[in-house]
Amino acid sequence: MHDAPAIFGLPAERGRWGLVALGLVINLCLGSIYSWSVFVAPLAAHFTATLGREVTAGEVLLPFSVFLAFFAIAMPLAGKYIERYGPRRVTAVGGFLTGLGWLLASTATSVEVLYVVYGVIGGLGVGIAYGAPVAVAARWFPDRRGLAVGLTLLGFGFSAFVTANAAGALIAAYGVMATFRIFGAVLIAVLVLSALPLRFPPAGWQPKGWSAPAAGTGTAPVCECDRRAMLRTGTFYGLFACYFVGCLAGLMAISIAKPVGTEVAGIDAGLATVLVGFFAVFNGAGRPAFGGLADRISPQKTAMLTFALIAGASVLMWLAPGAPAYIVSFAVLWGCLGGWLAIAPTATASYFGTCDYPRCYGVVFLAYGAGAIVGPQLAGSIRTATGTYLGVFPWVAALAAAGFVVAWLLMRPPAGVPAREPLLATVEE
């Protein structure tokens, strides 16, 4: 075992919690995309006024989809650079690009420009920075990895609780484009400064008094395989399809939370903004809740439970479109999205092991990007075609029913996958 230097002037066993706190703050900033529904109506009004034509909900929702798609693409590609350059540099670069995307959005003269400056640049920034704080938490906490990683990711899920209310207040006071500028400047400052203390422990470091579990104690995954072997299993395609449906429903709910509240449920705009933050609590809490459930009853059964909840929430909103149904349904939908961001990585490690985990989960994570494109666009297209968001919910219920069947049939441990030896990371900064 190697001794680690002090962290924030404290012994490593205590100071490492400060790195988790920084990871939570970083993810809180990166998750500001989840406040997008607060921007939808003001942006549509802004561009309708400046362009002299009506800008539809689908057009304004597309930057959200582009952002999340590039986030999903960049995340698996950034893994090797975290190893090569360390978490500090990668987080700082990703954080700067994230804030730059928000800053440049304030100069957009059309929705199409917003797709590039906000969607592509901002999305790449989040994708680059997202994995680094998680990797830091995982390596400093071999003894309490699930707790440390869960707390780090909690910031992303809870982000809208802070950023949606801040955005609503700033838009009311200064306008939507000035709000983009304020967000961009704050994000760059906080993300770059928060990145500076991040580092990996020395190779071979372990917390005092803790030793790694012996082989054969029941903690090993079902199998160890590389990405190529994973792609040859039905389990992968079942997991990918289920992750796609879970993310489609959740990201759709996030992108249209405020307009559904005001247009369908008849809620005051100010209260609808507050409720976006309320829903974010469920998004954050869904990660440790469903992640812990996956450990207890298996990823497959947890996935089936989420689809039952998604279908039930969608049917409720469809048949009883009032304020009570809206609050309950969207709390469930946001919570299940948070749950899937814990279920999918847990299932990947459980079914395919950790020897090639960054590349394996990188491919699985592309389902998140696909859901980011389809979910908000489905909602926007139905709103444009029918004049209401209400028609979205029977579609989501049907997709959830299909996801339930796919999980039941395919989300199970693979058979006949070639074994590999786990790879041990030794990079530190």
Side-chain angles (χ1 to χ4, degrees), residues 48-366:
T48 296
T50 57
L51 298 177
R53 65 172 178 83
E54 184 181 1
V55 176
T56 67
E59 289 177 284
V60 178
L61 286 170
L62 191 54
F64 175 85
S65 296
V66 173
F67 190 109
L68 293 179
F70 276 86
F71 164 29
I73 292 168
M75 198 277 285
L77 299 178
K80 64 179 182 180
Y81 296 104
I82 297 172
E83 301 293 340
R84 183 179 301 173
Y85 299 112
R88 179 186 307 146
R89 295 184 183 91
V90 171
T91 304
V93 170
F96 177 79
L97 288 175
T98 301
L100 182 64
W102 284 85
L103 276 175
L104 293 177
S106 69
T107 68
T109 54
S110 69
V111 184
E112 291 74 19
V113 173
L114 203 62
Y115 302 160
V116 177
V117 297
Y118 179 80
V120 176
I121 296 174
L124 286 174
V126 172
I128 290 168
Y130 181 81
V134 176
V136 169
R139 293 195 191 173
W140 278 105
F141 286 85
D143 52 337
R144 308 177 78 174
R145 183 168 290 140
L147 175 62
V149 171
L151 288 173
T152 300
L153 290 174
L154 201 63
F156 206 97
F158 273 123
S159 179
F161 183 77
V162 176
T163 58
N165 288 293
L170 289 170
I171 289 170
Y174 303 108
V176 67
M177 289 309 190
T179 299
F180 276 121
R181 283 194 295 275
I182 295 168
F183 263 59
V186 171
L187 289 175
I188 288 175
V190 174
L191 286 167
V192 173
L193 289 174
S194 297
L196 297 180
L198 295 183
R199 55 192 168 96
F200 289 139
W205 178 81
Q206 294 179 4
K208 291 179 180 178
W210 179 86
S211 7
T217 57
T219 58
V222 172
C223 65
E224 291 285 353
C225 64
D226 60 16
R227 183 175 62 183
R228 184 175 298 178
M230 179 189 74
L231 293 174
R232 292 198 295 266
T233 68
T235 299
F236 162 73
Y237 294 99
L239 174 58
F240 190 95
C242 290
Y243 198 13
F244 166 72
V245 173
C247 289
L248 179 152
L251 293 168
M252 174 276 299
I254 283 175
S255 69
I256 63 174
K258 184 177 178 181
V260 169
T262 55
E263 296 176 22
V264 177
I267 292 174
D268 174 75
L271 177 58
T273 298
V274 172
L275 284 173
V276 170
F278 171 74
F279 298 145
V281 174
F282 288 86
N283 188 11
R287 296 161 200 247
F290 284 102
L293 203 57
D295 288 334
R296 292 188 185 92
I297 68 172
S298 82
Q300 180 191 38
K301 292 178 181 176
T302 307
M304 293 166 67
L305 174 62
T306 66
F307 289 131
L309 290 170
I310 290 169
S314 300
V315 170
L316 175 64
M317 189 64 207
W318 181 34
L319 298 180
Y326 165 71
I327 294 170
V328 172
S329 297
F330 273 72
V332 170
L333 291 171
W334 281 55
C336 287
L337 174 64
W340 267 103
L341 288 165
I343 294 166
T346 300
T348 303
S350 297
Y351 295 151
F352 306 111
T354 56
C355 73
D356 198 18
Y357 180 80
R359 295 201 310 157
C360 286
Y361 183 58
V363 174
V364 173
F365 192 76
L366 291 174

